[in-house]
Amino acid sequence: MLVINNYKEMQKYSFELIAQKQKIGFVPTMGFLHEGHGSLIRKIREISDVVVLSIFVNPSQFAPGEDYERYPRNFERDKQIAEDNGCDIIFHPDPINMYPIGYGTEVKLKKLIKTFEGSSRPTHFDGVATVVAKLFNIVMPTYAIFGQKDYQQTLVVRQLAKDLNFPCEIIIAPTYREHDGLAMSSRNVYLSPDERLSASILFHSLEKARAAIMGGERNRKIINAIMHNSLRSLQGIRIDYASSANAESLEEPDIFLSGDKVVLLIAVYIGKTRLIDNLVVNVPAISTTLEDRFVEGV
Ligand code: PAF
């Protein structure tokens, strides 16, 4: 496995691969890899000739006071995990190589970034969009894969790739979960043993809301309340948001309709650790009379 630290070298390598008609599969990460990343590498390996994984803790997507400095890093361990899962190249640039003195460009979306993560972390998606655009220009992937765990990010990246005409297919992979349902995340390492046990409440709250939708609930406020009530059963939890929205547009109608694709989104603090999770639910058909009742709000 090759490690490349410099964007120019990476770009040169990618140009050579493209000239040889090799399909480049790309897994962008911030490192501290876990089994979820392993699954992304294995999945993209199936359709690519060469797999590139980037490890870059991107300063521009962290606001002052967030966890940029303490974000977990362990390059030697990451190298082993990447190699074990079939990665060919790690692109591991320094911040100064990505954002040299005099750097002055930002990529900013006009939609999808105001609510949920965007409301709690107002500059976050500008940093994500900027670094993803830069990484796409450097790696020039045929495919790029992102985990559904960062749901809003997947919408942002799809929009960005489409709007900026990147010739890259975006693949979204299902969230990889621990045995108790907790979504795998590099930040789970911040949790104390007790907090780690409590953290499965996110998934269980999402499941309760999903069950309600499957059982006929269509009222967004009631669906949100189900998640809030479930989360509140854990002492000391601080809810940032627990909401439902249209899974494509992130719009928040009063009532969801049969056939709608809905995303349930949660962000909470357990202790000092901020955790996010989501589930996508296809709203099933219910009897016409029942649906009329919901739409009329009777
Ligand atoms: O999801 C992440 O790890 C990061 O947001 C990404 C996409 C690598 C950009 O820094």
Side-chain angles (χ1 to χ4, degrees):
M1 192 179 60
L2 194 62
V3 176
I4 299 179
N5 297 112
N6 182 290
Y7 85 85
K8 273 209 169 126
E9 221 178 291
M10 182 69 242
Q11 221 167 26
K12 187 164 167 274
Y13 205 93
S14 287
F15 273 127
E16 281 164 18
L17 291 171
I18 290 164
Q20 293 159 21
K21 305 218 173 328
Q22 301 279 294
K23 286 193 169 71
I24 304 174
F26 182 37
V27 188
T29 83
M30 299 207 298
F32 211 69
L33 304 183
H34 49 68
E35 190 44 35
H37 295 112
S39 77
L40 298 182
I41 300 171
R42 294 195 298 277
K43 198 173 166 88
I44 204 134
R45 170 87 274 163
E46 288 171 16
I47 50 171
S48 314
D49 299 309
V50 177
V51 174
V52 178
L53 174 127
S54 63
I55 297 180
F56 180 60
V57 186
N58 172 39
S60 74
Q61 70 189 72
F62 292 79
E66 290 187 347
D67 57 344
Y68 173 68
E69 277 83 14
R70 74 178 188 117
Y71 194 86
R73 295 159 169 91
N74 188 336
F75 186 64
E76 287 311 310
R77 183 172 157 277
D78 285 352
K79 238 169 47 181
Q80 195 58 55
I81 295 175
E83 185 151 32
D84 291 349
N85 283 284
C87 174
D88 300 300
I89 301 169
I90 293 185
F91 175 50
H92 182 45
D94 282 336
I96 195 74
N97 187 245
M98 291 293 277
Y99 300 107
I101 311 281
Y103 182 86
T105 299
E106 186 174 76
V107 178
K108 195 179 179 71
L109 272 75
K110 289 186 172 173
K111 57 199 279 198
L112 298 168
I113 61 163
K114 295 275 184 248
T115 50
F116 309 115
E117 284 305 279
S119 151
S120 304
R121 308 178 69 194
T123 56
H124 173 65
F125 288 121
D126 303 341
V128 170
T130 302
V131 82
V132 168
K134 283 169 69 63
L135 288 167
F136 281 4
N137 278 327
I138 294 166
V139 177
M140 296 179 273
T142 321
Y143 309 109
I145 191 161
F146 295 81
Q148 192 196 307
K149 149 113 190 331
D150 295 295
Y151 186 80
Q152 201 171 357
Q153 172 172 281
T154 66
L155 295 183
V156 164
V157 169
R158 272 192 198 284
Q159 186 77 44
L160 163 108
K162 185 166 165 246
D163 291 350
L164 298 186
N165 314 104
F166 282 107
C168 169
E169 189 181 321
I170 307 297
I171 298 166
I172 310 303
T175 303
Y176 220 79
R177 298 184 181 279
E178 305 280 2
H179 61 91
D180 63 350
L182 177 65
M184 286 199 188
S185 162
S186 307
R187 287 187 169 101
N188 291 351
V189 73
Y190 297 151
L191 297 167
S192 71
D194 280 352
E195 290 169 347
R196 167 63 193 85
L197 281 178
S198 310
S200 61
I201 188 108
L202 277 83
F203 182 62
H204 297 311
S205 305
L206 291 168
E207 282 286 15
K208 281 183 190 159
R210 169 159 62 186
I213 295 174
M214 298 315 278
E217 187 56 68
R218 300 288 182 268
N219 184 310
R220 189 177 54 81
K221 285 197 176 123
I222 295 177
I223 294 165
N224 295 354
I226 290 168
M227 291 189 279
H228 274 260
N229 289 338
S230 168
L231 290 166
R232 271 198 225 107
S233 68
L234 181 72
Q235 256 204 336
I237 198 167
R238 186 150 66 83
I239 302 174
D240 187 348
Y241 57 80
S243 296
S244 46
N246 179 291
E248 309 285 343
S249 64
L250 295 185
E251 277 161 16
E252 297 170 89
D254 290 342
I255 301 291
F256 295 115
L257 300 177
S258 297
D260 281 356
K261 200 169 142 194
V262 170
V263 62
L264 308 167
L265 297 152
I266 288 181
V268 298
Y269 287 88
I270 295 186
K272 287 194 175 134
T273 306
R274 187 170 187 278
L275 298 175
I276 61 171
D277 200 355
N278 68 81
L279 274 186
V280 174
V281 186
N282 290 310
V283 180
I286 48 175
S287 80
T288 328
T289 36
L290 194 55
E291 183 137 359
D292 287 349
R293 198 162 65 79
F294 279 120
V295 172
E296 287 161 17
V298 177

